[in-house]
Amino acid sequence: MGSTDIRVNPLGRDGDEGFELFLGGDCELETMIRALKFITKALEDGAKEVHD
């Protein structure tokens, strides 16, 4: 049985100043890295469409 240990802590009175991520281990770190790479590529591809 597996689980994921990722916790999010909102910053600011209403969570409008960002957030902190707490990753519970190596697997969570690798998952977050992959997700951020995916998000970056999606944003870069979208920006290319606007400039073309």
Side-chain angles (χ1 to χ4, degrees), residues 6 21 23 27-37:
I6 299 176
L21 290 176
L23 307 174
C27 182
E28 289 83 2
L29 176 60
E30 289 297 322
T31 300
M32 191 58 57
I33 290 169
R34 290 180 64 194
L36 291 170
K37 284 181 179 180

Side-chain angles (χ1 to χ4, degrees), residues 4-12 14-24 28 32:
T4 300
D5 184 12
I6 299 176
R7 294 180 306 267
V8 179
N9 180 32
L11 300 175
D14 297 316
D16 58 349
E17 294 180 28
F19 58 90
E20 295 176 314
L21 290 176
F22 296 90
L23 307 174
E28 289 83 2
M32 191 58 57

